[in-house]
Amino acid sequence: MMERTFSMNNVNQNDRIRRERNRLKKAAYLRFITGVRQLSTIHRWKNVFVAIYLLVAAFAWAYRGKLLVGLDSAFSLLPILTIAVDWLVALFLLLGLLCLISTIGTPLKAKVFQDRLIRAGFTNHSHEPPLLLAKYKHPKNPKLTIWEFDENETSLSIWENKKDNIKGALIDTIINMKQSKNGRRIILCTVSPRSMLPPLLRWQDKYLSKESFELVLGESLIGRETVNLAKIPHILLGGSSGSGKSILLKLLLMQCVEMGAEVYIADFKGGVDFSAAWHKKCRMCFDESDLLDLLTSLTDELQRRKAAFREAECANIDEYNTATNTHLKRIIFACDEIAEILDKTGLSKERKELISQIESHLSVIARQGRAFGIHLIIATQRPSADILSGQIRSNIDFRICGRADNVLSQIILDSTEAAEQIPKDAQGRFITNTGLIFQSYLFDDNEVFSSGSRAIGG
Ligand SMILES: Nc1ncnc2c1ncn2[C@@H]1O[C@H](COP(=O)(O)OP(=O)(O)OP(=O)(O)O)[C@@H](O)[C@H]1O
């Protein structure tokens, strides 16, 4: 029995030694490869070290004969010794170069971060932490740090699920996580929690994007945050009262008008949210039957466009406009509080029926609007899952949430990130469903519309 236990222990021990040896071999190989990458792309200036080394190596090679001084007389008859010394020096210098490149491929404190990852419980099935291959400042934004890890036989989804453990180990906020093209590295972009977004950023006309229907929202730590309606057709905006949704919604709608879209706004608060200037630029809608008529005409338009695009063999509005030399406008339907419209609690049967029809039109636009240039930008602060039907929500790819409680954050983003990451007193601070936090531009519609210098729309 004891003998069996002893031999089992031996097998385990051997297995562990073999695994450790393989791990070290892999680490040495990865360090060398990373060193070469650092020299060729990331940190070209480190070639200075290689240049100095090569100079010293050339000097050592030139004077290698001196190594034999003193031995000359005794071994002068042995030319083989000279050849051996040549080989040894060459080997030594080559090894030195390999070590230098591997050292360049080893980030400072790599071991410290790996130990922290072990303590945070982020290891693979063999309890090994990922190897930190490179750590450097983002070339365009020094506030950001890029970390490159080997994928460590761990899929990107597991990295994403363990984001909090990793964040704790790196003591940085993770902004972005992706896999390298060859799939062998996981690349994280992080920012120090000390780097702060400013609490107030004012909108300036020069921020208006030159790219068609690219709407500007604000600034994140990695730059200007935008969404292109040609690629991501609908937007869902959430946040508790006073979080800054209405101002952000107006900022987006102002840009849509500016870019020549037809904008329709459902405002069931009696026109108080949108001043008279908006009424001139956009088609307003103040009650349910008016809204049903409007949405019916929009879905009819969608069907008309569908038939026309099919006939012209065009896949989307941009292709159609180019191919037929027409100028079909993009259409935006916006609503500041969708729950005001879709909440059926306590309503009569007829009104419930009316709301169901409104909802079904919104679903059609959410599902099919993309290609035909008909978009939804809707906002809500009401944390109730049954108000926004799954059909509408699941077809809205771009979702942003300001400060919110867990329930609202979950409804908008499918996670509690807004509740956790947006401070309770923040205004105009939002997080996207991809986890990016940004400060929206503060936009004063009174100023914009009253200024004669700027004519919104046509
Ligand atoms: N981007 C911003 N930067 C700084 N402050 C902002 C920003 N957006 C809004 N605020 C401030 O927050 C206040 C509330 O904004 P807003 O009316 O848009 O909130 P809301 O979420 O729509 O609230 P409600 O749903 O109650 O209307 C504004 O009066 C403004 O002072």
Side-chain angles (χ1 to χ4, degrees), residues 120-122 154-168 174 177 186 188 414-415 417 420:
F122 187 62
T154 314
S155 69
L156 183 62
S157 57
I158 298 181
W159 281 77
E160 274 162 356
N161 290 343
K162 298 259 182 157
K163 207 170 174 180
D164 286 343
N165 306 47
I166 304 170
K167 181 177 151 188
I174 300 172
M177 205 179 251
I186 301 288
L188 312 186
D414 292 325
S415 79
E417 276 191 287
E420 286 155 14

Side-chain angles (χ1 to χ4, degrees), residues 93 179 182 244 248 304 312 356 383 445:
L93 294 178
Q179 202 149 15
N182 60 15
L248 180 55
R304 264 194 301 280
S356 297
D445 53 341

Side-chain angles (χ1 to χ4, degrees), residues 109-125:
K109 296 202 201 159
K111 180 86 180 57
V112 174
F113 288 114
Q114 279 164 221
D115 289 346
R116 282 199 204 150
L117 285 168
I118 296 178
R119 281 203 298 278
F122 187 62
T123 53
N124 63 10
H125 53 86

Side-chain angles (χ1 to χ4, degrees), residues 42-58:
I42 307 171
H43 286 138
R44 291 216 177 105
W45 65 269
K46 287 190 179 169
N47 280 301
V48 173
F49 296 126
V50 178
I52 294 172
Y53 178 83
L54 289 178
L55 268 178
V56 173

Side-chain angles (χ1 to χ4, degrees), residues 114-146:
Q114 279 164 221
D115 289 346
R116 282 199 204 150
L117 285 168
I118 296 178
R119 281 203 298 278
F122 187 62
T123 53
N124 63 10
H125 53 86
S126 313
H127 304 291
E128 288 154 2
L131 198 68
L132 177 59
L133 299 173
K135 177 176 176 249
Y136 51 93
K137 293 274 165 235
H138 191 289
K140 290 193 189 135
N141 186 344
K143 281 186 197 150
L144 305 178
T145 306
I146 307 291

